[in-house]
Amino acid sequence: MKKKILISTGGSGGHVIPATAFYDHLKENFEVYLTLDNRGSKFINQNKYNFEIISSPRLTLNFIKLPLTFISLIISILRSIFYLKNKKIDILIGTGGYMSVPFCIAAKIFNIKIYLFEPNMVIGKANKFLVKFCTKIFCYSQNIRNLQDKHKNKIFVINHILRREIYNF
């Protein structure tokens, strides 16, 4: 029985494109699921990938919007809990962005292994928050700025992730 992996990604091409590359590399050996938000659907080949659109609130510290943001976050975490439980996910890969936050929190509740992907030299806000929950964070360099020293042991340096077609070419 294949392990089930969920790749949760944000809504920009910088999040979605690496998520699809991970998907392509993993699908032969794992049962892979992909979730993204509405913004991300314009960056994905809808005929090639099995994905679900799950909306997630944009996380803001705006004092006026904070109560609504908090309620929306709780609802997104609950949706994520149901998704993870229904699909029986074994591993979660978050590619950053606020879309990954509810799924990573839900995965932590179920003690599901969490792996993050940070392609930049400066850790993003979502990954900076989530790194305390993850097993490893895949990076292109050991020298990630704004990552606390206590989490540097979680860095796993990988080669640049490219689409499978490029490797096959």
Side-chain angles (χ1 to χ4, degrees):
M1 186 168 184
K2 290 182 176 182
K3 285 201 177 239
K4 296 180 179 183
I5 296 178
L6 171 64
I7 303 170
S8 176
T9 186
S12 74
H15 295 110
V16 176
I17 301 303
T20 58
F22 276 115
Y23 184 103
D24 289 340
H25 288 286
L26 296 169
K27 70 181 178 183
E28 290 178 18
N29 298 312
F30 301 93
E31 194 172 327
V32 183
Y33 299 88
L34 183 64
T35 60
L36 46 100
D37 62 7
N38 283 323
R39 296 177 312 135
S41 64
K42 63 185 168 199
F43 298 104
I44 194 164
N45 180 340
Q46 297 186 9
N47 298 320
K48 184 176 178 182
Y49 296 98
N50 179 19
F51 66 93
E52 290 185 48
I53 296 175
I54 298 181
S55 61
S56 182
R58 184 173 202 87
L59 303 176
T60 178
L61 295 178
N62 180 322
F63 185 71
I64 295 169
K65 294 180 181 178
L66 198 56
L68 184 58
T69 299
F70 182 73
I71 291 167
S72 296
L73 179 61
I74 296 299
I75 291 168
S76 292
I77 292 169
L78 291 173
R79 278 192 206 134
S80 300
I81 287 170
F82 289 119
Y83 185 93
L84 294 174
K85 188 158 180 74
N86 288 339
K87 300 286 188 190
K88 297 181 173 109
I89 300 298
D90 299 301
I91 297 169
L92 173 71
I93 299 174
T95 64
Y98 61 86
M99 172 64 187
S100 294
V101 172
F103 273 106
C104 287
I105 292 171
K108 183 63 179 170
I109 291 168
F110 285 123
N111 210 19
I112 293 171
K113 282 191 175 186
I114 301 168
Y115 295 92
L116 300 176
F117 174 63
E118 181 55 66
N120 302 309
M121 292 301 295
V122 179
I123 193 165
K125 291 177 190 175
N127 280 346
K128 187 174 182 178
F129 171 74
L130 296 169
V131 73
K132 61 184 154 271
F133 303 131
C134 79
T135 301
K136 291 288 180 191
I137 182 166
F138 303 131
C139 303
Y140 295 141
S141 170
Q142 192 72 36
N143 304 314
I144 303 300
R145 284 182 262 161
N146 295 339
L147 179 65
Q148 293 178 337
D149 287 338
K150 66 182 178 181
H151 298 302
K152 295 218 178 202
N153 64 324
K154 293 184 176 187
I155 292 176
F156 186 83
V157 177
I158 63 171
N159 290 327
H160 289 275
I161 183 103
L162 301 172
R163 291 185 179 196
R164 194 168 181 98
E165 299 89 37
I166 292 172
Y167 289 109
N168 292 339
F169 179 73

